[in-house]
Amino acid sequence: MADINGTALVHQADAQWADRVRRLAADRGAVILAHNYQRAEIQEVADHVGDSLALARLAAASSAREIVLCGVYFMAETAKILSPERTVLIPDAGAGCSLADSITADQLRAWKAEHPGAAVVAYVNTSAEVKAESDVCCTSANAAEVVAGIPEDREVLFLPDQFLGAHVKRVTGRANLKIWAGECHVHAGISPQALREMAAARPEAELYVHPECGCGTSALWQTGTGDLPAERTRVLSTGGMLEAARTTKAPAVLVATETGMLHQLRKANPAVSFEPVNPHATCHYMKMITAESLERCLRTGQSEVHVDDAVAARARQAVEAMIAVGPAPVTAGAR
């Protein structure tokens, strides 16, 4: 009985915290946007939960006085770029991104100098300064469509994720696509061997693979060679995973991405067993946003995100070009 009572007290405390957060947000005129990789309690209290593309579109369309971005810093910068007249807050300004850190604006300028006339396609997981040096941004949900929209005879510089870039090159057949050698340390740690072994052990399960994963490109190759079941393997953005989860008839799905995604997948279809390919694939940056830091942010207004006006004006063009490209956003947790 002690365990049951203890659980009840935890749930009551969670409910009290959520009520405080929602009250504070209402008092500030704030909308709370959370990424799919956030902690479960952050996702539950957010007004909207989605992938990078969905959050960018929501930030651009929001009429709220303030935007509280529960994600990593480049996401908050993107919200500020799209809504310069609004206050944008991030509960922990230290929430960085190993992928965004893999290229700087100076490095991009040097790369561009080596390839004059090339179109620069920057994954949204980049700093505002890098976006400002780019022609168009993309997310994993629309990267192939963005590249396909560039004239075939024009060279393309794709950055910074090498695994997503390899996926786009395969999908588009683009021979003149140059790829920066960056990676997300979490996704890079999800190995082709782990994916193959789990697929063999769970023949009833579908496979959802994020294209940032170290196993992403090899997953497509392995489906062609028969090492992975082609009819059960899908390479999807996090938004695409959520959409697929809602309609799948499989009893189980093996998920190759950051483990925070499991919360939304399990909510979307409770009848299905969603299991991580790598249970240790957790981004410590994403998990830096906590219940305490979100409440503190709403009470104090820290930490406000600022982007230099000149940088923001140049970056805005690239981000708005991304938003104009499909697919439609997939969000969850709206209340």
Side-chain angles (χ1 to χ4, degrees):
M1 183 64 76
D3 288 343
I4 295 174
N5 289 339
T7 300
L9 288 173
V10 169
H11 288 167
Q12 184 180 17
D14 288 346
Q16 291 172 348
W17 168 80
D19 287 344
R20 289 197 305 272
V21 164
R22 288 168 180 151
R23 243 186 351 260
L24 289 166
D27 290 344
R28 297 188 72 91
V31 62
I32 301 173
L33 306 181
H35 191 270
N36 289 318
Y37 296 161
Q38 287 289 290
R39 297 170 183 268
E41 62 268 27
I42 302 298
Q43 295 187 42
E44 284 299 303
V45 81
D47 294 291
H48 302 280
V49 182
D51 61 13
S52 297
L53 180 58
L55 297 185
R57 285 176 166 159
L58 288 163
S62 176
S63 60
R65 189 166 63 245
E66 295 185 354
I67 297 170
V68 178
L69 203 298
C70 295
V72 292
Y73 197 80
F74 78 77
M75 297 177 181
E77 278 190 328
T78 303
K80 184 64 176 179
I81 288 166
L82 291 169
S83 301
E85 74 286 359
R86 306 194 196 289
T87 297
V88 176
L89 304 174
I90 184 169
D92 192 324
C97 173
S98 62
L99 180 55
D101 289 344
S102 68
I103 188 168
T104 66
D106 285 342
Q107 288 174 317
L108 176 52
R109 281 188 285 267
W111 199 28
K112 288 166 64 176
E114 295 171 0
H115 299 271
V120 179
V121 178
Y123 192 25
V124 73
N125 297 44
T126 47
S127 68
E129 289 78 12
V130 167
K131 289 181 176 71
E133 293 292 332
S134 306
D135 294 297
V136 57
C137 290
C138 70
T139 71
S140 57
N142 68 4
E145 288 85 352
V146 167
V147 170
I150 297 169
E152 291 185 5
D153 60 351
R154 189 177 181 189
E155 189 175 42
V156 177
L157 304 183
F158 188 94
L159 61 102
D161 188 81
Q162 60 183 310
F163 300 117
L164 178 59
H167 171 66
V168 170
K169 191 168 188 173
R170 181 183 177 99
V171 169
T172 62
R174 191 87 177 214
N176 59 353
L177 182 72
K178 307 299 181 183
I179 303 169
W180 189 261
E183 65 181 27
C184 161
H185 72 286
V186 175
H187 283 104
I190 302 176
S191 72
Q193 181 179 353
L195 185 65
R196 188 169 57 249
E197 290 175 353
M198 287 198 72
R202 301 294 302 276
E204 81 284 7
E206 289 184 344
L207 311 177
Y208 292 177
V209 183
H210 194 282
E212 272 187 51
C213 290
C215 61
T217 301
S218 61
L220 294 173
W221 179 79
Q222 289 178 78
T223 60
T225 61
D227 288 341
L228 284 178
E231 72 281 359
R232 294 192 286 121
T233 304
R234 304 181 67 180
V235 177
L236 300 164
S237 68
T238 55
M241 288 181 184
L242 183 58
E243 192 168 17
R246 290 169 176 159
T247 57
T248 184
K249 303 300 182 184
V253 175
L254 306 177
V255 183
T257 192
E258 208 273 350
T259 56
M261 187 65 211
L262 296 170
H263 181 68
Q264 288 299 326
L265 296 177
R266 288 164 177 164
K267 285 181 64 178
N269 197 337
V272 176
S273 174
F274 292 95
E275 304 168 22
V277 170
N278 181 351
H280 304 295
T282 300
C283 176
H284 73 275
Y285 292 117
M286 281 286 184
K287 302 307 188 276
M288 288 174 70
I289 309 300
T290 63
E292 293 77 16
S293 66
L294 175 55
E295 184 172 353
R296 181 173 62 249
C297 170
L298 289 166
R299 288 190 184 279
T300 67
Q302 69 177 75
S303 299
E304 186 173 353
V305 176
H306 300 280
V307 179
D308 176 82
D309 288 344
V311 170
R314 294 170 61 207
R316 191 172 301 118
Q317 298 177 47
V319 177
E320 288 178 342
M322 170 188 78
I323 292 175
V325 179
V330 179
T331 60
R335 55 177 177 80

